[in-house]
Amino acid sequence: MNKRRLFLALTGASAVAATGACDVDKETGEKEDPLNIVYIMCDDHSYQTISAYDGRLINTPNIDRLAKEGARFTNSFVANSLSGPSRACMLTGKHSHKNGFTNNEHGIFDGSQQTLPKLLRAAGYQTAMVGKWHLVSDPTGFDYWDILTGQGDYYNPVFIREGERIVREGYSTDITTDVATSWLDSRDKERPFCLFLHYKAPHRSWMPDTLDLRLFEDKVYPMPSTFYDDYAGREAAANQEMSVIKDMNVIYDLKMADREGEIHTPDQPWLENYGRDLYRRDLSPGELVPGRMNAAQQAAWDSYYDPIIKEYKERVASGELTGKALNEWKFQRYMHDYCRVIHSVDRNVGRVYDYLERNGLLDNTLIIYTSDQGFFMGEHGYFDKRFMYEESFRTPLVVRMPGGKKVKAAKSRTKVVGPVDYGHRSNDIDEFVQNIDYAPTILDAAGVAIPDDIQGESFLPLLKGEKPSKVAIKEGKGWRRSLYYHYYEYPAEHSVRRHYGVRTGRYSLIHFYNDIDEWELFDLEEDPLEMNNLYGKPGTERITGTLMKELERLQTLYDDPISELN
Ligand code: SGN
Ligand code: CA
């Protein structure tokens, strides 16, 4: 049985076509249905806000259904926790230093290089890229591309459709789904497809759909136990600009600007005279202005926020909203908006599922749901990502198998330790996977050869239930036991120092470098919240030595010329 047929036998999919066309099975003489791929990626979607991972904050039934009908990855990570770099890793299957896109600020993706869509297309696949692209150069390797500009806007966003600029009226997440399903309608139905569906949501500044503004009104979100982290013993952790208390902008992020432009920010004096409004969009009724609200959207928005702004101003004026009360008010506002944005994402995942179901595509389509990285929901007092700390290093990953067949995962060799206890399910894949693995996995599932220079590994064998110790990877036999990470964007917004590191099933060793030289070592089994930096502490010499060796091994394996950067 060849590899493709083995996949089919295990997944219940009727067949896969390596050539892309509807082939005739040489053994049975039956017509084969090709395998399609729908790759859904959000921007900044934390695992903490997917109920398949963590039920405390929000319920996401549509994303959860994907996990139930396939697999949930419980040790899923990125290689560089930032949008552009993460997207480049996904497209190329290579770490940042190899694909050349190390940071958002100066990166321009070299679209002439080998990428996943190009390889799929050469094998007969139709490829489309819809939504947030964020790689500066125009997309290459797609039969169709229709992308948001830059970060994209939540309301009435501008898209670039194969070079043509268009403003679409409505809410970004809905529109992105609409564009994707229109493309699916118009595709050549005789050939398989791979759709890259990239939502802007829930990126900053977490603007909900007007439909969802009043959701979860009475919910009081639990404060993370590390919200008031004092960063003792962790210099890089202390010196950043991503604190909910200190750096979250009360106007832009938390939407507390009134129409007159009065600013009431007792603890953010630098916002005084900041300008009429950062987030509030003046309207030009009748005219569609990119990123701004139309009259109906604005009215719905104002009717929700105006009373909140009024109450906020009163509480600030009376002196009631200061210190701890203000800090926690900020956290609650952040969580409310973020979760509302997620609710719309989940609804749209449901719309995509319904589309595939209505069109008879669920049996021969692999659906992947992930995010470009994790996100801090107030842990360590942070929002944003970037750090190799668990909340941002981890990224959600669930895969729905063709036909909805629940994966029977083989016994894992890797422990699941981290800030949230996910519990255990029979379809959990606990082995370490990283976003450089997506390209080879998709190629493998499509029956396309994986080029040797791709650094990631196909995790298709894990989805098939193969024993991790038996899976052959480039390093030899047996799935990987450690992960490599490298973050570059500094000096830059949020001020997170450059760093690289290694994570094993139990430990995380991180080196912050450039204008700092700080090592951090965490025992994730004992300290999953990463509060206690053990580096240099007596008794840790042996484990530090082992981890240093492993780090060097990975830097050699991935050919990361780190010595030249120091
Ligand atoms: C913007 C945001 C940042 C965010 C980066 C990168 N600021 O610059 O908060 O870290 O994007 O995010 S904003 O004022 O423009 O909202 S990424 O996900 O695209 O990498
Ligand atoms: Ca992102």
Side-chain angles (χ1 to χ4, degrees):
M1 198 184 270
N2 73 21
K3 224 177 177 183
R4 289 191 291 120
R5 263 178 239 300
L6 183 63
F7 174 68
L8 299 175
L10 285 156
T11 60
S14 48
V16 179
T19 59
C22 272
D23 288 348
V24 171
D25 185 317
K26 290 196 187 71
E27 286 162 25
T28 64
E30 282 171 23
K31 202 176 168 207
E32 295 186 338
D33 276 339
L35 179 86
N36 306 304
I37 296 116
V38 174
Y39 175 87
I40 307 174
M41 180 162 68
C42 266
D43 188 6
D44 294 358
H45 192 176
S46 59
Y47 60 80
Q48 303 92 305
T49 51
I50 294 180
S51 42
Y53 285 102
D54 181 349
R56 291 170 311 151
L57 304 179
I58 188 173
N59 191 24
T60 51
N62 292 297
I63 300 171
D64 293 10
R65 175 169 56 180
L66 301 180
K68 271 191 213 115
E69 298 177 358
R72 176 179 78 159
F73 286 79
T74 54
N75 268 322
S76 157
F77 295 81
V78 292
N80 181 354
S81 183
L82 199 62
S83 167
S86 168
R87 286 155 210 272
C89 289
M90 179 279 283
L91 283 172
T92 61
K94 296 176 185 172
H95 277 281
S96 304
H97 63 282
K98 286 287 180 198
N99 66 49
F101 199 104
T102 57
N103 68 87
N104 285 342
E105 299 236 328
H106 308 292
I108 300 180
F109 186 70
D110 170 10
S112 70
Q113 67 186 298
Q114 167 185 289
T115 61
L116 170 62
K118 286 186 189 174
L119 292 164
L120 287 171
R121 205 178 178 193
Y125 269 76
Q126 295 168 87
T127 54
M129 164 64 227
V130 177
K132 181 170 169 179
W133 170 247
H134 206 205
L135 288 168
V136 187
S137 55
D138 282 352
T140 56
F142 298 98
D143 292 298
Y144 179 78
W145 54 273
D146 202 331
I147 58 170
L148 289 158
T149 49
Q151 293 284 7
D153 285 299
Y154 277 108
Y155 282 91
N156 310 329
V158 188
F159 281 78
I160 310 282
R161 182 176 59 196
E162 298 181 337
E164 182 203 353
R165 192 182 149 91
I166 28 177
V167 181
R168 292 192 170 103
E169 191 164 13
Y171 187 67
S172 170
T173 311
D174 291 342
I175 298 171
T176 307
T177 308
D178 296 343
V179 173
T181 52
S182 303
W183 177 75
L184 285 173
D185 280 339
S186 70
R187 78 189 198 281
D188 173 359
K189 311 239 169 20
E190 296 301 308
R191 289 160 57 217
F193 66 84
C194 179
L195 165 68
F196 295 83
L197 173 50
H198 296 187
Y199 294 113
K200 177 233 165 51
H203 192 270
R204 196 178 180 189
S205 59
W206 322 296
M207 292 172 81
D209 188 342
T210 50
L211 273 184
D212 300 323
L213 283 168
R214 287 179 168 75
L215 280 180
F216 319 130
E217 197 78 316
D218 298 329
K219 171 114 183 159
V220 178
Y221 295 93
M223 298 295 297
S225 61
T226 58
F227 187 74
Y228 291 107
D229 190 352
D230 64 3
Y231 313 116
R234 288 159 290 141
E235 195 188 333
N239 296 309
Q240 36 56 42
E241 291 169 6
M242 45 190 263
S243 142
V244 173
I245 295 174
K246 170 170 68 77
D247 306 304
M248 192 167 267
N249 185 316
V250 129
I251 298 163
Y252 170 64
D253 292 315
L254 304 179
K255 295 109 183 157
M256 291 300 110
D258 59 18
R259 193 165 287 143
E260 293 75 44
E262 275 180 66
I263 312 277
H264 305 268
T265 54
D267 66 333
Q268 294 181 319
W270 55 92
L271 292 184
E272 295 294 344
N273 308 317
Y274 190 54
R276 263 198 320 283
D277 51 18
L278 244 179
Y279 90 91
R280 184 182 291 277
R281 314 292 178 156
D282 290 335
L283 29 145
S284 323
E287 194 187 315
L288 199 53
V289 182
R292 293 187 180 181
M293 293 181 188
N294 63 29
Q297 292 160 345
Q298 185 75 49
W301 187 270
D302 288 347
S303 84
Y304 175 70
Y305 279 107
D306 281 353
I308 298 178
I309 295 171
K310 186 166 172 277
E311 190 196 337
Y312 165 78
K313 282 161 67 174
E314 284 164 8
R315 292 180 67 198
V316 164
S318 72
E320 183 199 333
L321 212 51
T322 51
K324 194 165 177 279
L326 181 60
N327 299 341
E328 295 182 10
W329 175 91
K330 286 181 185 175
F331 172 74
Q332 295 297 333
R333 276 239 50 79
Y334 165 44
M335 292 301 295
H336 273 105
D337 284 352
Y338 186 100
C339 287
R340 287 165 181 154
V341 173
I342 295 303
H343 185 78
S344 144
V345 166
D346 188 66
R347 178 166 58 229
N348 276 279
V349 169
R351 290 182 63 211
V352 173
Y353 188 100
D354 291 347
Y355 177 93
L356 297 173
E357 189 168 39
R358 262 200 322 278
N359 289 278
L361 290 164
L362 278 182
D363 281 352
N364 61 332
T365 301
L366 184 75
I367 310 174
I368 297 169
Y369 184 89
T370 187
S371 169
D372 63 343
Q373 9 70 201
F375 211 68
F376 291 99
M377 312 301 315
E379 299 90 351
H380 300 287
Y382 300 154
F383 64 103
D384 215 65
K385 53 270 176 171
R386 298 163 191 268
F387 278 109
M388 196 186 142
Y389 300 146
E390 294 286 294
E391 292 84 355
S392 72
F393 185 19
R394 285 178 171 273
T395 199
L397 176 65
V398 303
V399 174
R400 182 192 187 273
M401 299 302 274
K405 195 153 184 221
K406 199 173 198 152
V407 163
K408 275 202 197 99
K411 198 170 171 331
S412 155
R413 300 180 309 166
T414 308
K415 286 185 186 153
V416 186
V417 289
V420 169
D421 179 1
Y422 301 144
H424 177 74
R425 299 179 181 178
S426 62
N427 65 338
D428 277 353
I429 293 179
D430 296 340
E431 298 306 303
F432 279 146
V433 300
Q434 208 164 17
N435 54 352
I436 53 168
D437 299 331
Y438 300 172
T441 302
I442 291 171
L443 289 171
D444 203 4
V448 180
I450 303 166
D452 287 344
D453 63 345
I454 283 192
Q455 295 185 312
E457 302 289 347
S458 165
F459 52 70
L460 192 63
L462 302 175
L463 287 169
K464 290 177 188 166
E466 280 179 31
K467 278 197 182 139
S469 58
K470 296 270 165 23
V471 177
I473 61 169
K474 280 186 275 300
E475 293 162 67
K477 207 164 168 203
W479 192 256
R480 68 164 77 88
R481 309 300 297 267
S482 65
L483 289 168
Y484 183 58
Y485 182 85
H486 196 161
Y487 169 83
Y488 302 77
E489 193 175 278
Y490 178 87
E493 191 177 10
H494 298 298
S495 247
V496 173
R497 297 306 197 283
R498 295 183 191 201
H499 57 291
Y500 55 80
V502 59
R503 190 199 191 281
T504 65
R506 176 161 178 183
Y507 295 96
S508 192
L509 177 73
I510 313 173
H511 183 215
F512 294 92
Y513 70 94
N514 189 240
D515 62 355
I516 187 176
D517 179 11
E518 195 215 9
W519 288 86
E520 293 183 2
L521 167 65
F522 299 101
D523 178 345
L524 299 163
E525 244 173 74
E526 297 294 323
D527 176 30
L529 305 181
E530 295 165 294
M531 298 291 280
N532 184 15
N533 178 10
L534 297 174
Y535 188 81
K537 298 237 169 101
T540 61
E541 298 81 358
R542 241 183 91 202
I543 185 62
T544 305
T546 308
L547 290 165
M548 288 284 188
K549 273 210 195 89
E550 183 60 5
L551 180 59
E552 268 178 47
R553 188 187 74 79
L554 292 175
Q555 287 176 335
T556 307
L557 175 73
Y558 294 124
D559 191 25
D560 190 359
I562 189 66
S563 53
E564 293 162 27
L565 298 169
N566 274 311

